[in-house]
Amino acid sequence: MKSAEDSLAAEGFHQDKTAAKPRQMECLNRGLIAVKTERGVFISWRLLGTDPHETAFNIYRDGTRINASPISSSTNYLDEHGDEKSVYFVKSILRGKECAKSKETSVWKKPYMDVPLNKPLGGTAPDGKAYTYSANDASIGDLDGDGEYEIVLKWDPSNSKDNAHNGYTGEVFIDAYKLDGTFLWRINLGKNIRAGAHYTQFMVYDLDGDGKAEIAMKTADGTMDGTGRVIGDHNADYRNEQGRILSGPEYLSIFAGETGEELVTVDYDPPRGRLEDWGDGYGNRMDRFLAGIAYLDGERPSLVMARGYYTRTVLAAYNFRGGRLTKLWTFDSDKPEYAAYAGQGNHSLSVADVDGDGKDEVIYGAMAVDHDGTGLYTTGLGHGDAMHLSDLDPDRPGLEVFQVHEDPRLPYGLSFRDAETGEVLWGIPADTDVGRGMAAHIDPRYQGALVWAIDPPGSEGHSYGLYTCKGEKISDAPPVSANFAIWWDGDLLRELLDHDWKEPEGVPKIDKWDYHCGRLINLLTAEGTLSNNWTKGTPVLQANIFGDWREDVMFRTAESDALRIYTTTELTEHRFYTFMHDPVYRLAVAWQNVAYNQPPHPGFYLGTGMKKPPQPNIYTVSANGKSTFNDGEQKYID
């Protein structure tokens, strides 16, 4: 058997710090959208990470240019003379010459688009109880190589369970759709994969560099791929009398994004082993899974699958190249040298190059694993439910982490630390499990993120105040919204995304923090839609799906017959590369569906007093095998 070092060498993996390499990213089109508003038609498009700084644009309506001079200071425009019948395209301009035009787009009649869904029929569990399905978490990737995102959606049965609870669940389905609602395929994970937030973490990413995204997730005997092919034993049923699955083989499978076909399946690492090693004897903590994508060699994406965080913690990294899945390394807190890393994981993770060597680390709650699978640091502050990683304090070099913690016996319930070293820069004690925490730039009077934590409304908890990134408390009454943050209107402040707490899964809304009066002002209430994941109140997905740099958000309709994608129609004078070409943000979109969903953040500070963000050090790979770098000469085909 090859050692971990041999495997790393075989994959071209280098331990030494080197100059950062360009990273393989998606070859996206302009993502042009046009939306009817009261003042005309709002038009928005992407500035790509491979576009030279001097790139400008012309806009065409029905074949006629409508801008008087090239647009170089923004990537949005209001056409006061456009109407619902107009058709638009843009052309990029480089060195005074127009390049190929974008895909044409028609006008949305409302500030959202509906993507019709193929809702599964419900069923009856072995306990005789009926269940139905709701659209749950989603991810996006270019599945067919056309430069446009497709949606990969998880269907959640109404009897899905948190790991702490016994009971049978319905089967989990994973669907793929084009943005126009075209149904591509369905994967049925089968009866030997339990339904719930902690069981199925699905990664959607172009892992092999062929210009088309793959899907990676845990599978089992009876999983049926998108072509109808069954993995393992179709008749096997490992559910026990409590509805738990504590025996039988576990697999890791890679599926083709375009067809849903299973490409390769290996044994899931780590295996269950002894249940008690994970923190209990009935399978709750053993079945806690996380996953992410990381550029472990600094250039191409790798897959990271994990198990456990309350006690034992294990991460395994893989490369998918040439149809083969090769294990790079395994990190295990059971190893004596990593004993201090046990019990430090969150219900989610984050990925970024935190030590400046050009290669990504996995920030696994209160600990971090280096790109080579060795421990980078552990803070010892223990498990928590929420975490945010970005350049939260622009006065300091590098990135920072804000996290909330669960154990009141430990020093801090809220901590703010250096992402590279784990040094706790400041913290706030708490006498209870801190339920939620947020980091976002919401007040222009303070540079950097403000951070706060609250317990969910309706609980016996309280808020913990509003703090600057330096640890200065500026208010006892922070926003009551601490689920997601989103860039929505035209300024550099971030807005807050939450839901109506009147129902367990309520109506989503976007609010702006009125920092003068200390209250929330509603900007959008998404009537006719519902949030996901009970009190978590999360969207189906938040990402920079199309248009300029600002974020779009996807919710399920009340009947789960469609996904509704909202986009902003506010003009902005600010121009940034699409967040989807910022590696930290793009990887956050990939892991957003993992367990307790968290909002994506970029790898740079965006806010009052910001510096111009660095151009992404990336190259894009298209399905025809062509690569695009920003060399200042490239003409871009949209």
Side-chain angles (χ1 to χ4, degrees):
M1 179 180 294
K2 288 186 177 181
S3 67
E5 290 75 13
D6 291 336
S7 297
L8 291 171
E11 293 292 328
F13 196 100
H14 302 288
Q15 301 268 356
D16 297 333
K17 289 189 177 184
T18 58
K21 306 172 186 176
R23 294 189 176 207
Q24 169 205 312
M25 300 290 281
E26 294 158 312
C27 186
L28 299 174
N29 64 20
R30 289 291 168 198
L32 178 69
I33 56 170
V35 185
K36 185 70 175 73
T37 71
E38 294 180 354
R39 297 177 295 160
V41 175
F42 172 80
I43 306 157
S44 180
W45 62 94
R46 291 186 183 111
L47 182 69
L48 303 173
T50 49
D51 283 331
H53 288 295
E54 64 270 23
T55 302
F57 297 92
N58 283 332
I59 306 173
Y60 291 79
R61 182 207 322 124
D62 302 327
T64 301
R65 193 180 78 184
I66 60 175
N67 53 300
S69 59
I71 300 170
S72 58
S73 61
S74 70
T75 47
N76 59 90
Y77 185 87
L78 181 65
D79 179 14
E80 296 178 352
H81 303 291
D83 58 37
E84 293 180 358
K85 297 180 181 179
S86 300
V87 176
Y88 294 89
F89 63 83
V90 298
K91 287 186 176 182
S92 55
I93 306 169
L94 192 59
R95 291 183 172 84
K97 295 182 179 180
E98 285 191 333
C99 302
K101 75 174 187 179
S102 73
K103 181 180 178 181
E104 293 184 350
T105 188
S106 300
V107 177
W108 298 7
K109 295 179 177 59
K110 298 179 180 179
Y112 60 78
M113 65 178 293
D114 280 350
V115 180
L117 297 177
N118 182 17
K119 184 177 179 179
L121 296 174
T124 303
D127 57 9
K129 297 179 181 179
Y131 59 88
T132 58
Y133 281 95
S134 298
N136 193 248
D137 296 333
S139 192
I140 53 175
D142 185 0
L143 304 183
D144 55 13
D146 65 353
E148 181 178 88
Y149 282 121
E150 281 75 44
I151 300 168
V152 179
L153 172 70
K154 182 178 76 170
W155 288 98
D156 203 35
S158 54
N159 59 358
S160 66
K161 305 294 183 187
D162 184 89
N163 298 52
H165 302 145
N166 291 332
Y168 292 97
T169 74
E171 296 174 349
V172 177
F173 299 106
I174 305 291
D175 284 3
Y177 300 87
K178 293 189 73 65
L179 290 175
D180 63 4
T182 301
F183 176 67
L184 298 179
W185 47 257
R186 171 168 291 166
I187 295 170
N188 181 349
L189 288 178
K191 62 177 68 74
N192 294 308
I193 295 290
R194 207 166 183 240
H198 303 287
Y199 295 99
T200 296
Q201 324 301 343
F202 56 101
M203 294 293 102
V204 181
Y205 215 83
D206 182 7
L207 294 170
D208 60 359
D210 67 352
K212 300 179 182 181
E214 289 78 38
I215 295 90
M217 56 191 163
K218 184 174 178 285
T219 58
D221 280 348
T223 294
M224 181 183 294
D225 76 5
T227 69
R229 180 173 174 269
V230 174
I231 297 172
D233 183 356
H234 178 71
N235 297 314
D237 186 346
Y238 299 106
R239 295 172 293 184
N240 65 18
E241 293 179 354
Q242 288 76 43
R244 295 183 180 274
I245 302 160
L246 306 181
S247 62
E250 301 174 290
Y251 307 126
L252 168 63
S253 296
I254 308 291
F255 299 88
E258 194 165 17
T259 63
E261 177 189 6
E262 179 251 341
L263 299 175
V264 63
T265 293
V266 299
D267 290 339
Y268 191 87
D269 187 11
R272 294 185 188 91
R274 204 172 70 98
L275 301 187
E276 290 78 6
D277 291 343
W278 304 97
D280 60 58
Y282 65 103
N284 172 9
R285 296 181 174 187
M286 173 272 296
D287 264 349
R288 303 279 179 157
F289 301 97
L290 301 180
I293 304 294
Y295 289 77
L296 299 175
D297 66 357
E299 183 177 9
R300 300 185 67 188
S302 300
L303 172 68
V304 179
M305 304 298 290
R307 184 177 218 143
Y309 40 76
Y310 285 115
T311 305
R312 186 185 179 194
T313 291
V314 185
L315 293 77
Y318 299 85
N319 277 353
F320 179 63
R321 310 278 192 266
R324 294 176 58 245
L325 197 58
T326 305
K327 187 183 296 182
L328 298 176
W329 48 255
T330 299
F331 173 93
D332 191 342
S333 66
D334 266 6
K335 293 182 178 179
E337 64 269 32
Y338 296 136
Y341 289 74
Q344 302 302 309
N346 272 20
H347 290 296
S348 186
L349 50 70
S350 192
V351 178
D353 173 18
V354 299
D355 58 8
D357 64 357
K359 303 167 186 177
D360 283 338
E361 285 69 49
V362 180
I363 311 304
Y364 203 83
M367 54 169 272
V369 177
D370 209 344
H371 68 274
D372 58 1
T374 59
L376 185 65
Y377 66 78
T378 176
T379 66
L381 293 176
H383 168 76
D385 285 1
M387 179 177 71
H388 304 272
L389 181 150
S390 185
D391 189 1
L392 303 177
D393 182 352
D395 291 338
R396 299 185 70 258
L399 306 177
E400 293 80 33
V401 176
F402 174 66
Q403 182 181 351
V404 299
H405 303 278
E406 185 170 285
D407 191 342
R409 298 170 297 178
L410 296 174
Y412 302 120
L414 294 70
S415 67
F416 193 94
R417 74 178 191 257
D418 183 286
E420 177 182 3
T421 65
E423 176 190 0
V424 177
L425 303 173
W426 58 269
I428 304 297
D431 57 3
T432 186
D433 173 2
V434 181
R436 303 230 168 94
M438 178 54 62
H441 179 66
I442 58 173
D443 188 334
R445 299 172 298 183
Y446 303 94
Q447 187 167 296
L450 295 185
V451 301
W452 66 99
I454 62 173
D455 286 336
S459 73
E460 297 301 319
H462 55 277
S463 71
Y464 297 87
L466 182 63
Y467 297 84
T468 70
C469 60
K470 309 293 187 185
E472 175 191 358
K473 189 174 185 179
I474 60 175
S475 174
D476 289 323
V480 295
S481 174
N483 276 356
F484 268 56
I486 183 171
W487 278 288
W488 188 254
D489 63 12
D491 61 27
L492 297 180
L493 302 178
R494 212 166 187 191
E495 285 68 55
L496 302 176
L497 171 63
D498 210 326
H499 71 154
D500 184 345
W501 289 93
K502 294 177 182 178
E503 299 293 338
E505 293 173 308
V507 177
K509 60 191 181 75
I510 294 175
D511 296 322
K512 192 171 188 67
W513 178 244
D514 180 349
Y515 51 88
H516 291 297
C517 300
R519 62 190 180 97
L520 294 171
I521 300 174
N522 184 251
L523 302 183
L524 171 72
T525 299
E527 299 290 351
T529 73
L530 292 174
S531 61
N532 276 348
N533 301 316
W534 297 93
T535 61
K536 300 297 179 290
T538 55
V540 170
L541 182 73
Q542 175 185 310
N544 186 193
I545 301 173
F546 30 55
D548 60 35
W549 55 275
R550 289 168 298 174
E551 297 170 287
D552 310 288
V553 62
M554 184 186 303
F555 305 112
R556 60 183 170 103
T557 58
E559 300 301 322
S560 283
D561 54 359
L563 297 176
R564 183 162 294 171
I565 308 176
Y566 283 85
T567 192
T568 183
T569 57
E570 295 293 325
L571 287 170
T572 180
E573 62 186 9
H574 302 289
R575 179 173 118 150
F576 303 113
Y577 296 99
T578 173
F579 286 161
M580 301 304 273
H581 277 169
D582 175 77
V584 175
Y585 185 93
R586 182 63 186 91
L587 296 179
V589 170
W591 56 247
Q592 187 180 142
N593 69 79
V594 170
Y596 289 178
N597 306 24
Q598 298 288 288
H601 299 280
F604 58 89
Y605 169 63
L606 195 159
T608 304
M610 69 180 292
K611 298 177 181 177
K612 186 176 182 179
Q615 180 145 4
N617 184 20
I618 65 170
Y619 67 96
T620 62
V621 179
S622 65
N624 63 14
K626 293 183 179 179
S627 298
T628 299
F629 295 78
N630 177 13
D631 57 6
E633 301 286 342
Q634 178 71 44
K635 294 183 178 179
Y636 302 94
I637 299 175
D638 295 307

